[in-house]
């Protein structure tokens, strides 16, 4: 059952201020907002797991994350058969406060080592917990299939997008920021966790943050990313990062880098120095593909979100690093539409530069960014204001196929695709 959520008046006021503050744009009138779904707790037992999601930790471990309303053991029993009695692991439990809201018990347990491309069954907490979940580990070598979706939110469009993603038989989901659109209303984080659980509990979801994750209120709540960091713990420490807002990981033959648009990124910042070091350590014989995700787009011909410092200044600071490292493709969010650029560097087509793709069209309540700058820049190859998702199928060390599926009358319709050749197999760009 899904229902509309009533927002208290004083929080609605904060919400309005917050959206204006973190989502201000220039010369752009956003379409009317869509209503947010609220997904209630299906089981009123306070010990029952909810909001279950998994994320990769290293190449042979998974982090299982879930929430309970009452204290329960942070324990996962798991195995390759439904009996789930083969192994168990103990993790940590935390919680957080935000204004008058107090979260449930947030459990994080890392399990493994696990075999690649294998279905595992798992149970959360101690008996009498009877629900058994399952997930499939990614392959250890190519091919691999990623689902990519940004600015997801929780509306009817979101639900349609998730249904399409679920049918895509993906190995891992990548999300370049703006998850729940809770915007200070913490119950909406709980609702979002329940909405995505059917998918996120079965395949690893690797995410980075966007502007709607900041949730900082001057003088009232001055710590940014409180809910995001508590609920969506990513493997930043394993990649040498000191922040959950940026990290990297290897999967199959792909090195994936998640960057933070809303934390420091200038050349003296920890994020810049970490990225510089991370790119230098990439071994293209082991990971012939390098993929980067950011929220605020560096390339964008939509009228939405033009001239924002998170885009302009971060691009000025970091574009050279990605170009020199021969990053293959960059996925961007923030703009609620789809756009694919050619390979581009410093605003000009360049065969040795990354391809930039805006995929901020998951289904958020704010609506689509329907207006584009005309005439269309020559570096912009395809653009369309529709909700949808993409898939990146990396077949081997040299070739991958990107496909964008738009939501057309609740059907996933292929509207754009392109074949990519990796720089590791392109001698002209080495």
């Amino acid at each position: 059952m899904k229902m509309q959520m009533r927002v208290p008046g004083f929080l609605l006021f904060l919400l309005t201020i917050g959206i204006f503050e973190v989502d201000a744009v220039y010369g752009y009138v956003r379409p009317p907002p869509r209503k947010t779904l609220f997904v209630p707790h299906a089981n009123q037992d306070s010990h029952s797991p909810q909001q279950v999601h998994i994320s990769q930790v290293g190449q042979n471990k998974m982090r299982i994350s879930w929430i309970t309303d009452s204290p329960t053991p942070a324990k996962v029993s798991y195995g390759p058969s439904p009996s789930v009695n083969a192994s168990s692991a103990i993790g940590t439990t935390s919680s957080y406060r935000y204004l008058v809201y107090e979260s449930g018990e947030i459990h994080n347990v890392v399990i493994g080592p696990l075999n690649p491309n294998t279905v595992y069954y798992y149970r959360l907490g101690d008996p009498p917990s009877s629900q058994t979940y399952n997930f499939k580990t990614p392959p250890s070598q190519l091919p691999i299939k990623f689902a990519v979706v940004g600015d997801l939110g929780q509306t009817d469009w979101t639900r349609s997008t998730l249904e399409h993603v679920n049918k895509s038989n993906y190995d891992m989901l990548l999300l370049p920021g703006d998850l729940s659109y809770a915007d200070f209303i913490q119950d909406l984080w709980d609702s979002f966790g329940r909405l995505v659980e059917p998918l996120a509990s079965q395949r690893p979801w690797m995410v980075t943050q966007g502007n709607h994750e900041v949730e900082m209120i001057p003088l009232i709540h001055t710590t940014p990313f409180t809910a995001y960091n508590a609920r969506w713990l990513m493997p930043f420490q394993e990649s040498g990062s000191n922040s959950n807002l940026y990290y990297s990981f290897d999967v199959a033959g792909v090195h994936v880098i998640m960057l933070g648009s809303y934390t420091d990124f200038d050349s003296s910042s920890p994020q810049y120095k970490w990225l510089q070091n991370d790119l230098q350590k990439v071994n293209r014989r082991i990971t012939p593909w390098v993929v980067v995700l950011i929220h605020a787009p560096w390339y964008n011909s939509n009228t939405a979100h033009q001239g924002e410092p998170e885009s302009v200044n971060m691009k000025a600071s970091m574009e050279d690093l990605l170009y020199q490292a021969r990053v293959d493709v960059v996925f961007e969010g923030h703009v609620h539409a789809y756009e694919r650029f050619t390979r581009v560097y410093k605003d000009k087509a360049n065969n040795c530069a990354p391809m930039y793709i805006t995929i901020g069209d998951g289904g958020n309540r704010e609506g689509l960014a329907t207006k584009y700058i005309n005439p269309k820049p020559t570096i912009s190859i395809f653009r369309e204001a529709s909700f949808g998702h993409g898939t990146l199928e990396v077949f081997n060390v040299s070739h991958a196929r990107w496909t964008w599926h738009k939501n057309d009358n609740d059907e996933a319709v292929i509207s754009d695709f392109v074949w990519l050749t990796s720089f590791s197999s392109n001698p002209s760009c080495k």
Side-chain angles (χ1 to χ4, degrees), residues 194-365:
R194 298 175 194 126
L195 177 65
V196 303
E197 178 184 300
L199 277 72
S201 63
Q202 296 189 56
R203 298 290 186 276
W205 279 38
M206 311 303 291
V207 307
T208 189
Q209 92 291 163
N211 53 304
H212 286 271
E213 275 73 66
V214 178
E215 295 189 306
M216 184 173 65
I217 306 173
L219 304 179
I220 301 174
H221 188 93
T222 58
T223 303
F225 308 108
T226 299
Y228 172 78
N229 283 333
R231 294 170 181 269
W232 290 84
L233 181 60
M234 292 290 115
F236 68 94
Q237 293 173 317
E238 288 75 8
S239 64
S241 168
N242 66 349
S243 171
N244 193 47
L245 305 179
Y246 50 89
Y247 62 98
S248 67
F249 62 94
D250 293 341
V251 58
V254 185
H255 185 69
V256 181
I257 299 173
M258 298 285 197
L259 296 180
S261 296
Y262 299 91
T263 187
D264 291 342
F265 44 68
D266 62 71
S267 59
S268 64
S269 67
Q271 180 176 203
Y272 182 97
K273 294 176 181 178
W274 169 83
L275 175 62
Q276 190 175 42
N277 185 58
D278 187 79
L279 289 169
Q280 290 173 352
K281 292 189 296 185
V282 173
N283 185 338
R284 299 302 271 261
R285 291 188 296 273
I286 298 174
T287 54
W289 292 87
V290 179
V291 174
V292 170
L293 281 82
I294 56 177
H295 186 67
W298 295 359
Y299 287 94
N300 167 33
S301 74
N302 198 290
T303 59
H305 300 301
Q306 288 291 330
E308 295 181 354
E310 294 83 8
S311 296
V312 176
N313 296 344
M314 192 178 192
K315 174 187 173 187
S317 175
M318 292 182 164
E319 186 178 23
D320 283 346
L321 293 180
L322 302 197
Y323 175 72
Q324 292 163 6
R326 296 295 184 257
V327 168
D328 293 290
V329 59
V330 177
F331 293 109
E332 315 169 307
H334 203 36
V335 175
H336 301 160
Y338 173 77
E339 185 166 17
R340 174 171 60 87
F341 290 85
T342 187
R343 295 193 176 279
V344 58
Y345 173 61
K346 294 192 180 299
D347 302 296
K348 294 182 180 179
N350 186 310
N351 289 333
C352 295
M355 178 180 293
Y356 287 81
I357 297 173
T358 300
I359 190 73
D361 55 357
N364 64 86
R365 58 173 162 72

Side-chain angles (χ1 to χ4, degrees), residues 9 24 65 124 175 192 196 230 265 279 332 401:
S65 304
L124 306 174
L175 201 163
F192 177 79
V196 303
F265 44 68
L279 289 169
E332 315 169 307
R401 180 176 63 200

